[in-house]
Amino acid sequence: MTSHAAAAEGHAHEHHYTTTGLDNRKVAIWSFIGSECMLFASLISTYLIYKGRSVVGPLPHETWTDPSTGAVFKPILNIPITSASTFVLLMSSLAMVLALAAVENKDKPLPANAGWWDRQLASSKLWLWCTCILGATFLGFQAFEFTSFVHEGLTLRRNLFGSSFFTLTGFHGAHVTVGVIWLGSLLAIDYKRGLRPSDTLMVDIAALYWHFVDVVWIAIFTLVYLIK
Amino acid sequence: MATAATAPAYTSSESHGATGLMSWLTTVDHKRIGILYLHTSLFFFVVGGLEAIIMRYQLMRPNMQAVSAETFNQLFTMHGTTMVFLVIMPLSAAFFNFLIPLQIGARDVAFPRLNAFSYWVYLLGGVFITLPILFGLAPDGGWFAYAPLTTRTYSPTQNMNFWVLGVQILGVSSLAAAFNFATTIINMRAPGMNLMRMPMFTWMSFVVQWLIILAFPVITVALFFLQFDRFFGTNFYTVTAGADPLLWQHLFWIFGHPEVYILILPAFGLVSEVLPTNSKKPLFGYPVMAYSGILIGFLGFGVWAHHMFAVGMGPMADTVFGVTTMLIAIPTGVKIFNWIFTMWGGSLRFNTAMKYAIALIGMFTIGGISGITHASPPSDLQQTDTYYIVAHFHYVLFGGAIMGIFSGIYHYFPKMYGRKMDEGLGNLHFWLNFIALNLTFFPMHFSGMLGMPRRIYTYDAGQGWETFNLISSIGAFLMAPAMLVFLYNFFKSKKHGEVAGDNPWDAPTLEWSIPSPPPEYNFAQIPMVTSRYPMWDITHPERTAEIPHSTKGWDEARHRSDEHILPGGGHMADMAPAHIETAAKTASELDIPMPTPTIKPLLVALGMLVMVASLLPFFAGKTSAFVVLLAIGAGTMIYSLYDWLTTPLEEAH
Ligand code: HEM
Ligand SMILES: [Cu+2]
């Protein structure tokens, strides 16, 4: 939320003098991202430190048999499905890049021989929609993952793995949610008055945040899902 | 003094815009926000001081029964929490707010409304965490809140909830402010105010903002774990579920050691302004001062486990952290010597600010030396958890941070209010405080060495601790009159102090080129800076002869300037009188755009607080109260935030 405030505030005068020539909001978002790195570093380290310390299953990569009931818990992480959701999130970053480019180039007339694809590339609405929808799809995957884990007996309270896994990925999911809302508000502005090249910075900041959240996911996917 | 020639000696702050309660609730002026921070943290200083005095009364003699063990736990927890999060950090924030824009030649901070938000979050969070002590519900797990002790199993009551939620709220305030000030310093410096010309206070503040940005998220995470454990039944600190009982300690101290530098560096910055001014010499070794600050910041992240020598980390870890801890004393020592060399051969003016600054050098050194003695693990094993540690951190925090901040208050009071504080009363305050400090904390070295543990609520006679405790208590009682003298002086001088003029101490930096108190827009024209000491370039060129001068940075600025940067470029010598002449004019007369006052930041902060507080009924199983509070809080917050984000900062003109 502080990020939101920081990003949307700033002096109205575009030509305000700054020491670096960068807009204040741009500097602020970078410092915010620095802070977020430490946040996720702490969450990820805790997950890794606690890996293998759970006294009961289900476990991420191993089968666990309950000694008292004989119930068998299969390894719980579903790598193929998560690979798919990871791909979706990566694609959303691509769409974000295209959205930013579309806003930046709004005033450039299309060349005379522009085809269908060139016209699509110039549509900021299209690419913002794509980013939002892909982001929301990722969240859908996560909701599915969480519910199926709960059905398989892994809850926030069940064991250390459950606590640290849900907290880490939940925090990431919350960041994606904030991002989707943020992008949605850009989309609303685009419908209301049209995003102009002068709005590039506004979109750029959202994009920085979005890519950051994406990069964090790649770290989580590698460290939590892929490495046994 | 050239600059004062045309100066109206005093313009009351009332002449600069609206007054009355609403004007304070809606202000986005960094100077007013600084003054709000100052008053609020002085209030909490009194609260924390009273808690300390009650503790010292209880410990005055063996087997006293003034307070129960439970109350004593709440007292020491709240005393530490208050002094760290509600007094020293926000007192520093008062100076960040008031001074940073003035020192770098800016009209405001980068995000004025976010700045107001930080203050309101601090105020509300402070009230939230402090009020429960009136009902015996205050947190009781120490300012470090060691888990598992603070998990629901061992602290089943609401008490610790106020801490885990309150500190989280205060973290939001500190982080929001840190993004703001880091951006301000990076991006809003006047033309020519290159990094190596920034006043040392701004330099140290800059380092502190990065420490906050990088260290606070770590405690944020540790607190989330603890909150989830307490409220939702996770297992982060449940040892029976396989949790590591040291996880909290690691996370807390990875934050905690940078935090102690967050507390001390602003004070270092303040005395680095006071000492050169009152020695009438440039700061000795300016670049080394800046670099040592940065180095302290870096090393500060690599020493945290010196708080954990007693947990048995093994010889390797003990050695590494012992060595890094000894290393960090080097840049700290460098600063001490630089201050001494700054005074060396100067013609010293012993006003109250200067006395406090010199006291910092001496007292902090004592604390630093005791710090080195527990940088060595075998030696620390004798000292840890005894009153010796209490002596150490009070010499660095009271003798260092608080002394430095008092120095800053006496020095900058004239800039804030246009009047000086009374020197006679200041002198009295200083000596009372200085004697009280040493009476209270010096004997703790001995009681600690004789084995008296920290955090005990009473003790038996016959262990050799009686005399030392009695002296400590007498010292603590003496702090009350010291503080009363200070407060009387503070409030009296605001109205009746000697009129100061724009540069009463003949100081060298930009904030002294404008009237006292400054107009709302600070600088009628953005100054163009040619050296580290723009004011001395005018009044005492001989003092700055050795300092580099250039117009580096001007050309770039001209390329990107708007009309408010001096049209043809200019020199401070012309500009300082110009500032004074225009002082009576308002921003709109000068056509300077100013941010519109707004109540939204306060409302967002309030909504956030209510949302967080809704977890208290949740903890007690009162679901409907939880839902109602959560809805009210979230509604207020989202509505106000929307309004804030969709309203431009400045009114169209
Ligand atoms: C010369 C530099 C310093 C060194 C070598 C040093 C070393 C230490 C060590 C080893 C401890 C742990 C002692 C123990 O618990 O057994 C400690 C505790 C502490 N230090 Fe320092 N320190 C230094 C400077 C500072 C500064 C500048 C501050 C704050 C402004 C500070 C504040 C504290 C506090 C608050 C504690 C106690 C924390 C607690 O257990 O509640 N120290 N110091
Ligand atoms: Cu430390």
Side-chain angles (χ1 to χ4, degrees):
Chain A
M1 182 208 48
T2 49
S3 76
H4 240 136
E9 202 169 336
H11 285 268
H13 295 250
E14 286 301 340
H15 54 272
H16 241 278
Y17 167 76
T18 64
T19 316
T20 57
L22 294 171
D23 188 278
N24 284 339
R25 288 170 285 174
K26 187 100 177 215
V27 177
I29 190 82
W30 275 113
S31 66
F32 174 72
I33 287 177
S35 195
E36 292 274 276
C37 285
M38 291 300 285
L39 185 98
F40 280 105
S42 310
L43 287 166
I44 294 176
S45 318
T46 304
Y47 175 87
L48 293 177
I49 291 167
Y50 275 179
K51 209 166 141 181
R53 294 182 66 126
S54 296
V55 290
V56 295
L59 301 173
H61 304 287
E62 304 86 9
T63 306
W64 182 74
T65 316
D66 190 333
S68 54
T69 63
V72 176
F73 293 83
K74 294 228 172 59
I76 204 159
L77 294 182
N78 187 333
I79 294 175
I81 288 199
T82 315
S83 305
S85 76
T86 305
F87 181 73
V88 168
L89 197 62
L90 282 177
M91 285 305 109
S92 81
S93 256
L94 180 64
M96 187 74 242
V97 172
L98 295 175
L100 179 61
V103 173
E104 219 166 0
N105 297 325
K106 270 274 166 76
D107 283 351
K108 291 206 186 116
L110 283 175
N113 59 350
W116 178 84
W117 180 240
D118 295 300
R119 284 198 303 280
Q120 305 314 310
L121 275 184
S123 163
S124 57
K125 291 200 187 79
L126 173 69
W127 297 113
L128 281 175
W129 268 117
C130 281
T131 321
C132 274
I133 290 172
L134 290 167
T137 311
F138 175 84
L139 289 173
F141 270 108
Q142 195 168 44
F144 167 78
E145 184 191 41
F146 281 15
T147 32
S148 59
F149 282 8
V150 171
H151 281 300
E152 289 172 54
L154 183 72
T155 61
L156 201 57
R157 301 171 174 216
R158 170 76 189 177
N159 57 13
L160 273 186
F161 166 60
S163 297
S164 54
F165 172 81
F166 282 119
T167 304
L168 168 58
T169 53
F171 260 94
H172 180 265
H175 277 76
V176 177
T177 311
V178 169
V180 170
I181 296 172
W182 191 346
L183 293 168
S185 67
L186 290 180
L187 204 48
I189 296 174
D190 205 355
Y191 275 100
K192 209 169 147 201
R193 62 165 176 78
L195 288 170
R196 311 296 320 151
S198 55
D199 296 314
T200 304
L201 182 83
M202 198 163 81
V203 183
D204 192 14
I205 288 167
L208 267 176
Y209 173 82
W210 191 257
H211 296 316
F212 168 73
V213 171
D214 210 359
V215 169
V216 170
W217 181 255
I218 296 184
I220 295 178
F221 182 60
T222 316
L223 294 170
V224 175
Y225 289 83
L226 292 184
I227 296 180
K228 296 246 152 83
Chain B
M1 219 173 51
T3 56
T6 50
Y10 173 76
T11 28
S12 88
S13 53
E14 273 81 30
S15 67
H16 301 301
T19 50
L21 182 64
M22 256 336 252
S23 78
W24 288 100
L25 296 181
T26 60
T27 186
V28 286
D29 178 340
H30 70 96
K31 299 178 289 302
R32 291 186 139 209
I33 294 172
I35 285 170
L36 286 172
Y37 265 110
L38 180 61
H39 284 79
T40 314
S41 39
L42 285 177
F43 168 76
F44 282 120
F45 196 25
V46 172
V47 174
L50 288 176
E51 287 157 358
I53 286 175
I54 300 174
M55 281 192 286
R56 277 318 321 170
Y57 180 65
Q58 162 72 15
L59 293 174
M60 189 164 69
R61 296 180 189 288
N63 292 316
M64 290 266 290
Q65 293 298 332
V67 295
S68 66
E70 289 75 26
T71 310
F72 193 86
N73 287 352
Q74 298 185 15
L75 286 170
F76 79 67
T77 303
M78 282 316 294
H79 168 71
T81 305
T82 304
M83 290 306 188
V84 168
F85 295 106
L86 305 179
V87 178
I88 300 185
M89 283 186 76
L91 274 172
S92 306
F95 285 103
F96 299 158
N97 268 283
F98 196 89
L99 282 183
I100 289 175
L102 300 185
Q103 288 201 325
I104 62 175
R107 293 221 169 99
D108 208 327
V109 294
F111 307 104
R113 293 180 292 191
L114 186 63
N115 201 24
F117 172 76
S118 299
Y119 168 73
W120 294 115
V121 173
Y122 154 57
L123 175 68
L124 295 172
V127 171
F128 177 83
I129 207 169
T130 303
L131 266 189
I133 196 148
L134 299 178
F135 309 99
L137 277 176
D140 51 4
W143 86 278
F144 33 75
Y146 280 169
L149 176 64
T150 47
T151 57
R152 196 161 184 169
T153 319
Y154 305 104
S155 299
T157 53
Q158 291 273 14
N159 300 46
M160 272 323 282
N161 290 343
F162 288 102
W163 197 89
V164 295
L165 300 175
V167 173
Q168 193 76 293
I169 296 173
L170 296 169
V172 171
S173 163
S174 304
L175 277 169
F179 300 137
N180 207 344
F181 287 116
T183 308
T184 305
I185 297 173
I186 292 175
N187 227 19
M188 298 187 62
R189 281 169 284 132
M193 178 55 77
N194 311 331
L195 285 178
M196 277 301 156
R197 283 185 193 154
M198 290 198 309
M200 198 43 66
F201 173 75
T202 297
W203 248 119
M204 292 304 110
S205 309
F206 191 45
V207 175
V208 166
Q209 307 314 321
W210 287 105
L211 290 177
I212 294 178
I213 286 172
L214 299 175
F216 263 76
V218 182
I219 192 170
T220 303
V221 166
L223 281 168
F224 272 127
F225 291 163
L226 189 50
Q227 285 156 10
F228 289 1
D229 273 13
R230 292 182 63 84
F231 293 99
F232 311 130
T234 52
N235 306 308
F236 288 104
Y237 305 115
T238 314
V239 178
T240 47
D244 186 341
L246 294 182
L247 177 70
W248 171 273
Q249 291 200 26
H250 279 293
L251 292 174
F252 184 83
W253 290 117
I254 290 174
F255 149 80
H257 194 86
E259 170 69 16
V260 307
Y261 286 103
I262 293 170
L263 297 170
I264 194 68
L265 288 180
F268 281 2
L270 287 169
V271 301
S272 303
E273 304 295 339
V274 172
L275 286 168
T277 302
N278 290 320
S279 309
K280 306 185 181 117
K281 273 178 67 198
L283 184 65
F284 183 89
Y286 172 100
V288 180
M289 280 302 233
Y291 294 137
S292 63
I294 298 173
L295 194 62
I296 287 178
F298 268 105
L299 292 177
F301 278 96
V303 299
W304 77 87
H306 65 212
H307 296 273
M308 302 167 61
F309 286 143
V311 306
M313 295 176 295
M316 190 61 202
D318 279 1
T319 313
V320 169
F321 283 101
V323 169
T324 53
T325 304
M326 290 175 198
L327 277 182
I328 204 171
I330 297 174
T332 316
V334 163
K335 286 192 174 301
I336 305 277
F337 284 109
N338 277 359
W339 289 323
I340 294 173
F341 290 138
T342 301
M343 292 192 288
W344 192 265
S347 56
L348 307 192
R349 169 173 52 204
F350 284 103
N351 58 14
T352 312
M354 185 67 164
K355 284 178 198 145
Y356 268 112
I358 297 173
L360 176 144
I361 303 179
M363 299 300 101
F364 180 84
T365 304
I366 298 180
I369 291 173
S370 61
I372 309 270
T373 65
H374 34 252
S376 159
S379 159
D380 180 63
L381 290 181
Q382 302 299 314
Q383 299 161 0
T384 192
D385 278 339
T386 70
Y387 262 84
Y388 189 88
I389 304 298
V390 182
H392 159 66
F393 65 72
H394 281 93
Y395 267 92
V396 284
L397 289 172
F398 199 131
I402 293 288
M403 292 278 147
I405 287 166
F406 272 132
S407 171
I409 292 179
Y410 281 93
H411 191 67
Y412 282 106
F413 188 91
K415 191 45 62 185
M416 294 180 178
Y417 296 107
R419 294 173 184 275
K420 288 184 182 175
M421 286 180 81
D422 187 291
E423 277 295 320
L425 289 173
N427 198 31
L428 180 63
H429 172 219
F430 170 76
W431 285 110
L432 280 176
N433 219 354
F434 184 79
I435 294 168
L437 158 75
N438 285 294
L439 268 187
T440 312
F441 300 115
F442 205 77
M444 290 184 185
H445 290 109
F446 301 108
S447 47
M449 277 298 158
L450 291 172
M452 179 167 167
R454 300 167 69 172
R455 310 178 199 120
I456 51 164
Y457 85 110
T458 190
Y459 52 92
D460 274 333
Q463 304 176 83
W465 306 344
E466 289 96 327
T467 320
F468 297 122
N469 275 288
L470 184 63
I471 302 174
S472 284
S473 292
I474 293 171
F477 300 152
L478 201 58
M479 286 181 188
M483 193 60 191
L484 284 178
V485 171
F486 169 75
L487 290 175
Y488 173 74
N489 191 356
F490 186 88
F491 287 104
K492 192 198 73 145
S493 304
K494 273 210 270 194
K495 290 259 177 315
H496 308 293
E498 179 195 340
V499 170
D502 52 304
N503 190 0
W505 315 122
D506 194 8
T509 39
L510 274 189
E511 68 272 29
W512 302 102
S513 72
I514 55 176
S516 315
E520 54 172 336
Y521 46 80
N522 299 350
F523 298 90
Q525 290 166 319
I526 298 294
M528 312 275 275
V529 182
T530 48
S531 86
R532 243 170 243 160
Y533 297 118
M535 293 306 285
W536 278 356
D537 286 342
I538 307 170
T539 54
H540 302 285
E542 76 287 354
R543 286 186 199 162
T544 63
E546 318 262 281
I547 301 282
H549 288 72
S550 76
T551 57
K552 193 161 155 270
W554 286 27
D555 287 340
E556 268 176 70
R558 279 213 198 86
H559 281 299
R560 284 183 271 115
S561 71
D562 61 18
E563 68 275 25
H564 295 298
I565 292 179
L566 198 68
H571 206 280
M572 279 301 299
D574 312 320
M575 220 166 299
H579 286 143
I580 307 294
E581 276 160 26
T582 48
K585 297 215 173 99
T586 64
S588 50
E589 280 166 352
L590 293 168
D591 195 25
I592 298 172
M594 295 306 295
T596 322
T598 165
I599 191 103
K600 266 43 162 258
L602 170 55
L603 293 181
V604 176
L606 197 64
M608 191 181 91
L609 181 89
V610 174
M611 266 174 82
V612 174
S614 73
L615 283 167
L616 297 172
F618 176 88
F619 187 83
K622 300 198 181 85
T623 317
S624 46
F626 159 65
V627 174
V628 171
L629 276 181
L630 186 66
I632 296 178
T636 315
M637 186 170 129
I638 293 170
Y639 173 78
S640 318
L641 190 63
Y642 179 81
D643 223 22
W644 167 355
L645 294 176
T646 50
T647 316
L649 181 64
E650 295 150 7
E651 255 159 30
H653 56 226

